[in-house]
Amino acid sequence: MLLIKCPYCEEERPELEFRNAGEAHLVRNSSIIEQSDEDFASFLYFRQNPKGLQFERWRHIHGCGRFFNAVRDSVSDKFLTVYKAGEPKPDVDALLSGNPTPDAEPVKKRAPRTKKAEL
């Protein structure tokens, strides 16, 4: 099971406490009335789904309830970093090289459980 660090709670919690809320950093057109139905439907329903790094929005539903963003590799399902909603995208090249920005904290996997000694 993955552990995801909520940037607001500043705690690593099991992935079951979180829900994916889609692609991050989408910008709505400021004049929706002037937008065609096809363009609005494209904005509303169609998302990129690249193989590799994705910027995603997540919600800590069984914790603080707040939305945050994450950089996740869709191939390995590994979270590279999480950051608060409204913050700019982190530098992907720095994340891949292993030198994340000071604010970005990598998410770790939980160590396997050990069996308790029988009494």
Side-chain angles (χ1 to χ4, degrees), residues 4-99:
I4 302 172
K5 182 172 184 176
C6 175
Y8 296 103
C9 299
E10 296 183 3
E11 239 181 62
E12 289 183 338
R13 304 297 302 160
E15 63 183 312
L16 299 173
E17 289 193 11
F18 298 89
R19 292 292 182 268
N20 186 305
E23 190 176 337
H25 303 289
L26 295 175
V27 179
R28 178 188 262 183
N29 190 348
S30 60
S31 57
I32 295 175
I33 293 177
E34 297 171 7
Q35 200 172 16
S36 71
D37 289 342
E38 292 80 19
D39 289 341
F40 186 70
S42 176
F43 164 79
L44 194 60
Y45 297 111
F46 299 115
R47 298 288 178 253
Q48 296 181 18
N49 191 16
K51 185 177 184 179
L53 292 184
Q54 295 190 27
F55 291 89
E56 300 174 330
R57 177 167 287 227
W58 286 79
R59 184 172 183 211
H60 191 184
I61 59 167
H62 294 294
C64 63
R66 297 179 80 177
F67 285 94
F68 63 92
N69 295 326
V71 180
R72 183 180 66 88
D73 185 351
S74 64
V75 176
S76 66
D77 203 27
K78 178 182 177 185
F79 284 78
L80 290 148
T81 190
V82 296
Y83 53 102
K84 294 178 179 178
E87 291 181 353
K89 289 183 179 180
D91 183 15
V92 174
D93 294 330
L95 288 171
L96 293 175
S97 68
N99 300 322

